[in-house]
């Protein structure tokens, strides 16, 4: 739909379109308002997942792909210096935390929902905190400034997944698409096999990496210098706050939305790297990470919702690039829909394998032995 627009026009439109993150957040109060005096209030609590995983994949297919890559010489240096993009992500942190607090209050005070409606509400909040919140946190923890680092850590603490701040940058980006990476799914591995392993090993790897960092500095891992202790303590403060403010229901709400949020993160990890791996060189090392080692999804609408997270190939090749200047590579392996549609597909393994396995095999055409090489256990 937009593929014939001049690049300058598209970049200008996208600078405004990154505010689309507000739309899923706004769906929450809309779903609450629609449930008031409704004959079926429980149904409206599921508005967010229905829109995101039902309507968005259809719109992605209709609206089509994002045609705009910024010019490396003329546009990228200027865009990287524009504080607008940085402050947009920081503004979303305040908005998301405010939404989280308001949502907890609604759950505790609204009596028209049965446990089904309450479950839908927790699911909705978790999807937003995982889809938008962790995406923003991901952008921020890759940056060097203390403000962005701490803002990203705050969002991760709000979903009890602070280990991502350490493991993703120091672990996943080092070992991506190798057997050593718990966030890189194997060819033929189902989502339900992948998730328990990812939960466990990403948590343990974060503590291991932080302990190694501190030991190199001659410091004890069990000290105030361990940032994971502080971030998980902050998660405990969140939990205590929701419990004191809203009772046991507030505690369940906070833990429930956290579980949904970090599960959605790991589902996205699953689809971003499924079946792809870096080849091992004669010297025993893996080839350098390049744009061919992650699945790319260049659908415009979800690109805007997720701050270009779907241009994942470029992100892994050049992790410090800010979201507004991430590029699409035609030669990267391409997903057939945006992330929302692919999440739905991943939840149904037979459909996932039917769609994705032929694409992985095509990627390794002529060197099919690589398919078995990539299935080594971690």
């Amino acid at each position: 739909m937009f593929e014939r627009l001049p690049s300058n026009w598209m970049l200008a439109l996208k600078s405004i379109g990154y505010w689309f993150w507000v739309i899923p957040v706004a769906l929450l109060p809309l779903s609450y308002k629609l449930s008031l005096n409704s004959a079926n209030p429980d149904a409206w609590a599921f508005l967010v997942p229905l829109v995101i995983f039902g309507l968005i994949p259809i719109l992605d297919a209709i609206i089509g792909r994002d045609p705009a890559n910024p010019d490396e010489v003329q546009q990228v240096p200027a865009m990287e210096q524009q504080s607008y993009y940085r402050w947009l992500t920081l503004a979303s942190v305040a908005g998301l935390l405010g939404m989280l607090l308001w949502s907890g209050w609604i759950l505790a005070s609204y009596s028209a929902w049965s446990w089904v409606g309450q479950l839908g509400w927790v699911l909705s909040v978790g999807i937003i905190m995982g889809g938008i919140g962790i995406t923003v946190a991901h952008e921020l923890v890759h940056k060097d400034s203390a403000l962005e680092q701490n803002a990203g850590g705050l969002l991760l603490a709000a979903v009890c997944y602070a280990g991502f701040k350490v493991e993703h940058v120091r672990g996943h980006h080092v070992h991506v698409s190798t057997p050593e990476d718990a966030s890189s799914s194997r060819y033929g591995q189902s989502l339900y096999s992948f998730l328990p392993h990812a939960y466990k090993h990403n948590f343990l790897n974060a503590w291991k990496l932080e302990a190694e960092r501190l030991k190199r500095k001659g410091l004890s891992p069990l000290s105030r210098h361990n940032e994971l202790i502080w971030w998980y303590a902050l998660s405990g403060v969140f939990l205590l706050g929701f419990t004191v403010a809203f009772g046991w229901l507030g505690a369940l709400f906070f833990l429930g939305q956290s579980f949904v949020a970090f599960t959605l993160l790991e589902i996205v990890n699953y689809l971003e790297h499924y079946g792809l791996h870096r080849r091992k060189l004669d010297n025993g090392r893996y080839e350098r990470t390049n744009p061919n080692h992650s699945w790319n999804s260049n659908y415009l609408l979800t690109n805007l919702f997720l701050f270009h997270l779907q241009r994942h190939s470029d992100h892994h090749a050049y992790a410090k690039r800010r979201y507004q200047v991430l590029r699409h590579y035609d030669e990267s392996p391409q997903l057939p829909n945006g992330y929302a549609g692919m999440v739905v597909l991943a939840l149904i393994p037979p459909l996932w394998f039917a769609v994705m396995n032929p694409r992985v095999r095509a990627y390794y055409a002529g060197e099919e032995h690589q398919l078995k090489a990539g299935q080594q256990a971690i």
Side-chain angles (χ1 to χ4, degrees):
M1 184 180 291
F2 292 94
E3 293 180 6
R4 294 185 180 181
L5 283 182
S7 179
N8 285 344
W9 290 22
M10 277 304 305
L11 292 173
L13 286 173
K14 285 164 65 175
S15 69
I16 300 169
Y18 292 127
W19 283 98
F20 279 9
W21 69 267
V22 174
I23 296 175
V25 176
L27 286 175
L28 267 181
L30 176 62
S31 66
Y32 167 66
K33 183 175 181 180
L34 290 172
S35 73
L36 294 172
N37 302 316
S38 170
N40 298 291
D42 287 345
W44 289 112
F46 290 88
L47 180 64
V48 169
L50 287 173
V51 170
I52 290 179
F53 297 117
L55 180 60
I56 296 301
I58 296 172
L59 292 178
D60 266 334
I62 294 172
I63 294 172
R65 290 174 172 82
D66 178 355
N69 274 348
D71 181 83
E72 288 297 307
V73 176
Q74 299 295 327
Q75 295 170 319
V76 167
M79 291 175 68
E80 286 187 327
Q81 295 302 315
Q82 291 176 11
S83 59
Y84 164 79
Y85 295 101
R86 179 177 179 237
W87 287 108
L88 194 159
T89 52
L90 291 171
S92 72
V93 175
L96 289 163
L97 293 177
M99 175 217 71
L100 184 63
L101 180 61
W102 175 82
S103 301
W105 173 72
I106 290 295
L107 183 70
S109 61
Y110 187 48
S111 60
W113 287 326
S114 70
W115 68 268
V116 175
Q118 292 173 335
L119 179 64
W121 189 252
V122 172
L123 182 64
S124 296
V125 175
I127 288 170
I128 294 171
M129 289 299 293
I132 307 298
I134 295 183
T135 295
V136 172
H138 168 262
E139 172 70 18
L140 294 173
V141 299
H142 272 288
K143 303 304 173 281
D144 295 326
S145 78
L147 176 61
E148 290 171 296
Q149 284 276 322
N150 289 330
L154 182 61
L155 277 177
L156 293 170
V159 294
C160 300
Y161 220 55
F164 180 82
K165 185 176 186 295
V166 171
E167 204 286 328
H168 178 79
V169 176
R170 299 185 226 158
H172 176 58
H173 270 264
V174 174
H175 300 295
V176 64
S177 298
T178 72
E180 285 75 29
D181 182 37
S183 292
S184 296
S185 50
R186 308 289 176 259
Y187 176 74
Q189 182 182 27
S190 77
L191 174 65
Y192 303 104
S193 167
F194 170 82
L195 283 175
H197 189 274
Y199 294 147
K200 175 183 176 181
H201 287 277
N202 285 331
F203 176 81
L204 295 176
N205 287 347
W207 287 96
K208 178 183 176 182
L209 288 165
E210 182 65 358
E212 290 173 349
R213 181 184 73 86
L214 293 171
K215 287 178 181 178
R216 287 195 298 269
K217 294 185 174 184
L219 299 170
S220 170
L222 298 177
S223 70
R224 63 182 179 86
H225 301 285
N226 187 325
E227 69 168 305
L228 288 176
I229 293 176
W230 290 102
W231 291 122
Y232 279 113
L234 184 55
S235 294
V237 171
F238 273 116
L239 176 59
L240 179 63
F242 275 88
T243 304
V244 170
F246 310 124
W248 66 269
L249 199 57
L252 289 178
F253 164 79
F254 177 72
L255 294 174
Q257 66 84 28
S258 294
F259 177 76
V260 173
F262 64 67
T263 296
L264 182 56
L265 161 68
E266 295 298 354
I267 295 173
V268 170
N269 275 333
Y270 173 84
L271 62 90
E272 286 174 337
H273 303 289
Y274 176 75
L276 304 179
H277 65 275
R278 287 147 60 194
R279 295 156 179 84
K280 208 165 192 177
L281 305 176
D282 292 339
N283 61 8
R285 296 186 177 185
Y286 292 100
E287 63 181 325
R288 182 185 178 91
T289 306
N290 65 51
N292 291 327
H293 295 134
S294 305
W295 290 97
N296 209 56
S297 178
N298 201 37
Y299 287 86
L300 176 60
L301 182 61
T302 306
N303 260 351
L304 297 176
F305 277 121
L306 298 183
F307 297 93
H308 268 170
L309 180 67
Q310 295 186 136
R311 290 187 168 184
H312 207 63
S313 300
D314 197 22
H315 167 69
H316 265 286
Y318 305 95
K320 288 293 184 181
R321 286 179 76 95
R322 289 189 176 269
Y323 69 92
Q324 68 269 22
V325 295
L326 288 174
R327 297 158 294 186
H328 166 72
Y329 292 89
D330 286 330
E331 62 269 26
S332 298
Q334 304 295 317
L335 294 173
N337 196 257
Y339 278 9
M342 298 309 298
V343 166
V344 174
L345 204 63
L347 292 171
I348 311 170
L351 291 180
W352 173 265
F353 295 143
V355 171
M356 292 303 298
N357 282 5
R359 286 173 165 78
V360 177
R361 291 195 295 268
Y363 173 82
Y364 288 113
E367 48 177 351
E368 284 76 9
H369 64 281
Q370 293 288 348
L371 290 171
K372 293 183 178 180
Q375 291 178 297
Q376 301 173 48
I378 295 175

